[in-house]
């Protein structure tokens, strides 16, 4: 057994990679994430991605020493399931992702964690001794993973630092994918950006020509500066992001925050500059360094591979995975 497998389960894509014991990737595949309509359809897609990665690399299941799965949440890591799906086309419950991966890898240990926690695992491994840091993803939704005093926080069922679901406006009717109202993600999660823009157009009289059937977060951000509705939407999202990031900083006091996810990676200036410029309005603590992750789209996948390999990595021995428990 000489290889490790990492799987990144996002709301949009499944990405699976295989690496050697030395940490060198030998190949990866990407498939669209199944949107349902059943739990079985979802787990079939997970199994297909794992099998495709093995076939792509020529690595046999018996050569896999361990697997790490990083998934959108909320999770119950003890049971190995995604408990519900806030950002898929279908509402699914109790998806047994760990069992799905294990079915492709007999007798292989499969470890599961939240995707944002995998992001902070990758950042911690690369941190040169920084013990207090966070990873925040701006993607279909918003999530975070945090390391405090050298320990990566897991939480009771593996969902620590789910800051996308903190309530920023209790009086708002803005509905989050989880069913709550006024959450950070309800305003600034990628899936909700076009809906937020439509709300502003309706309530404040902006021209809504931008809001075609195919309008996405990318459509809104790309039109910022040219279209008044897009410009106003992005500006207001910048303030919600500053408030949400301030909540994270007040709670966990990181020295550095690494930012990833497609919305941020594709719109660095429009996402990060408002946070840096406005976060002081909402902070008592000193602001941390806030920058894009240097691992780009691979940060969560890297964390999943590190999770798989962690039992033999002394550099990760201080981050609450030294006992071999799932994060």
């Amino acid at each position: 057994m000489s290889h490790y497998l990492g799987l990144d389960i996002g709301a949009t894509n499944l990405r699976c990679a295989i690496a050697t014991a030395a940490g060198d990737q030998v190949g990866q595949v990407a498939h669209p994430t199944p949107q349902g309509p059943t739990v079985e359809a979802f787990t079939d897609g997970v199994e297909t991605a794992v099998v495709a990665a093995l076939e792509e690399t020529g690595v046999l299941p018996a050569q896999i020493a361990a697997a790490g799965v990083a998934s959108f949440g909320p999770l119950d890591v003890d049971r190995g399931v995604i408990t519900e799906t806030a950002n898929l086309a279908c509402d699914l419950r109790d998806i047994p992702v760990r069992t799905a991966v294990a079915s492709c890898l007999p007798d292989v240990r499969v470890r599961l964690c939240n995707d944002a926690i995998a992001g902070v695992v990758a950042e911690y491994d690369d941190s040169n001794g920084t013990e207090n840091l966070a990873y925040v993803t701006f993607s279909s939704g918003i999530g975070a993973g945090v390391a405090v005093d050298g320990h990566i926080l897991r939480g009771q069922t593996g969902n620590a630092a789910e800051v996308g679901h903190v309530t920023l406006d209790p009086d708002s009717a803005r509905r989050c994918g989880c069913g709550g109202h006024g959450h950070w993600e309800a305003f600034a999660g990628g899936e909700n950006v076009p809906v937020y823009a439509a709300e502003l157009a309706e309530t404040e009289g902006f021209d809504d020509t931008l809001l075609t059937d195919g309008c996405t977060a990318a459509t809104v951000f790309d039109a910022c500066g040219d279209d008044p509705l897009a410009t106003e939407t992005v500006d207001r999202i910048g303030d919600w992001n500053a408030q949400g990031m301030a909540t994270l900083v007040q709670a966990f006091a990181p020295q550095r925050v690494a930012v990833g996810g497609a919305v941020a990676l594709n719109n660095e200036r429009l996402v990060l500059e408002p946070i840096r410029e406005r976060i002081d309005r909402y902070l008592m603590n000193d602001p941390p360094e806030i920058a894009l992750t240097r691992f780009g789209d691979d940060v969560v996948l890297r964390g999943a591979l590190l999770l798989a390999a962690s039992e033999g990595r002394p550099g990760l021995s201080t981050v609450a995975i030294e006992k071999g428990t799932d994060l």
Side-chain angles (χ1 to χ4, degrees):
M1 295 188 293
S2 58
H3 293 77
Y4 296 100
L5 182 141
L7 178 65
D8 170 11
I9 302 177
T12 304
N13 292 301
L14 299 173
R15 303 175 69 231
C16 190
I18 295 176
T20 66
D24 299 318
Q25 279 197 36
V26 295
Q28 66 173 270
V29 298
H31 290 180
T33 300
Q35 299 296 305
T38 65
V39 167
E40 290 74 20
F42 191 97
T43 55
D44 285 349
V46 169
E47 293 169 14
T48 297
V50 172
V51 171
L54 293 169
E55 292 177 348
E56 171 74 18
T57 59
V59 175
L60 300 174
Q63 293 176 283
I64 301 295
V69 179
S71 174
F72 65 82
L75 305 176
D76 185 330
V77 295
D78 294 330
R79 294 194 292 133
V81 303
I82 302 171
T83 57
E84 56 185 296
T85 55
N87 292 308
L88 292 187
C90 292
D91 292 330
L92 304 177
R93 296 287 186 273
D94 291 336
I95 304 172
V97 289
R98 186 162 56 209
T99 298
V101 175
S103 71
C104 304
L105 303 169
D107 302 318
V108 172
R109 178 179 177 84
V110 179
R111 306 181 70 186
L112 173 67
C113 75
N114 181 279
D115 53 0
I117 292 178
V120 83
V121 167
E123 293 296 328
Y124 189 93
D125 185 62
D126 189 56
S127 67
N128 295 317
T130 301
E131 293 192 332
N132 294 284
L133 55 88
Y135 169 76
V136 177
T137 178
F138 294 92
S139 189
S140 299
I142 295 173
V146 295
V148 178
D149 298 338
H151 294 274
I152 291 177
L153 302 188
R154 172 188 186 271
Q156 182 178 0
T157 56
N159 300 297
E162 275 280 15
V163 292
H165 300 284
V166 298
T167 301
L168 298 183
D169 184 356
D171 298 321
S172 174
R174 279 267 70 242
R175 187 175 178 86
C176 184
C178 72
H181 292 84
H183 293 181
W184 183 6
E185 186 173 302
F187 297 102
E191 288 293 313
N192 294 317
V193 168
V195 185
Y196 185 36
E199 178 185 289
L200 292 178
E202 180 179 353
T203 59
E204 302 193 17
F206 285 96
D207 180 275
D208 65 356
T209 304
L210 180 73
L211 303 177
T212 63
D213 288 342
C215 182
T216 65
T219 307
V220 175
F221 276 89
D222 288 347
C224 181
D226 297 319
D227 180 90
L229 174 60
T231 303
E232 182 67 17
T233 302
V234 171
D235 181 68
R236 296 201 191 187
I237 286 172
D239 203 64
W240 294 120
N241 285 342
Q243 291 182 50
M245 191 71 78
T247 301
L248 174 81
V249 172
Q250 290 297 153
F252 302 110
Q255 178 181 340
R256 180 170 64 85
V257 178
V259 176
V263 173
L265 293 173
N266 294 327
N267 303 282
E268 178 180 4
R269 179 182 62 83
L270 293 174
V271 172
L272 294 192
E273 284 188 6
I275 296 173
R276 295 180 184 129
E277 291 170 357
R278 304 177 195 182
I279 193 170
D280 275 339
R281 303 176 188 175
Y282 308 107
L283 278 181
M284 178 188 71
N285 292 341
D286 292 332
E289 173 193 353
I290 301 172
L292 288 185
T293 174
R294 76 180 188 89
F295 300 116
D297 288 332
D298 289 333
V299 61
V300 171
L301 195 56
R302 176 182 172 86
L305 286 166
L306 286 167
L307 184 68
S310 60
E311 292 178 47
R313 291 180 58 83
L316 291 178
S317 63
T318 62
V319 300
I321 53 179
E322 67 272 15
K323 295 180 182 179
T325 57
D326 286 336
L327 279 169

